[in-house]
Amino acid sequence: MVSQLTHKKRMSTRAQMLIMGGLTIVLGFTVTIGVLSWQSGKEQKALAEQYLQQIAQSRALQVQQELSHARDVASHLGQSLIALPHVGITDRKAADKVMEYALRANPDYLSMSVIFEQNAFDGRDAEFASQPGQAPQGRYAFFVDRDASGTYSMHPLLSYLTPGQGDYYLIPQKSQKDTLTEPYSYAYNGVPTLLTSVAAAIIDRHLKGDRYL
């Protein structure tokens, strides 16, 4: 009996050691996997954040380049229109064509607009003020766009003197600086579209500071 009890105790102790060892291995394995998984998840999160940051920076640079190009286009259009009166061209239809071709050359833009100061283009604002289809005060203040069929049309700007609606003109006209408007909703071809405007303030020093936008 003594011998048998001793053997059982030895077996019991051995079994306990195996069980404890197994638990230790399992626990160690589980902890290791948990730590590795946590570290891997942390690294993935860091990589994802880095990737998103790179995308954001790349997109921001792209937007900045697009807005810079839009400002250049607006400035070049203004400079082209300034040149017309200097060479004796004061036909408003000629200015219409310059605007139309500028939009044709930049199909990504929905429209382009130009507002001359009073009598700055042809000195005939009073004459045009009494005619239908003209902008307030008879100024040369029009925008060109294209419809769904690709037809280009000129339209008078009617609210450019109204604060809020006319901020795309009033703000750069007052500051004499290029301006980027806040995004706004506009029904383009009947579809609500979120737009922003880039306005270039053009000053012709040869005409005593008359401004062209």
Side-chain angles (χ1 to χ4, degrees), residues 1 11 13 36 43 50-51 78 91 111 114 125 128-129 132 138-139 145 150 161 168 181 186 201 209:
M1 288 292 294
M11 291 294 293
T13 302
L36 290 178
E43 291 174 358
Q50 183 179 2
Y51 178 67
D91 185 351
S111 66
V114 171
D125 288 1
F128 283 97
R139 287 205 235 174
D145 67 359
L161 295 174
Y168 63 91
T181 67
Y186 177 77

Side-chain angles (χ1 to χ4, degrees), residues 97-141:
K97 280 299 178 183
V98 172
M99 291 179 61
E100 178 185 327
Y101 275 85
L103 184 58
R104 286 180 181 273
N106 296 274
D108 289 338
Y109 301 153
L110 296 181
S111 66
M112 292 186 181
S113 61
V114 171
I115 303 172
F116 278 82
E117 294 297 288
Q118 285 185 293
N119 292 311
F121 181 66
D122 55 9
R124 300 169 60 193
D125 288 1
E127 176 184 341
F128 283 97
S130 60
Q131 298 180 15
Q134 298 297 316
Q137 302 177 342
R139 287 205 235 174
Y140 186 87

Side-chain angles (χ1 to χ4, degrees), residues 44 104 112 116 123 194 201 210 213:
Q44 289 178 357
R104 286 180 181 273
M112 292 186 181
F116 278 82
L194 193 63
D210 286 327
L213 298 179

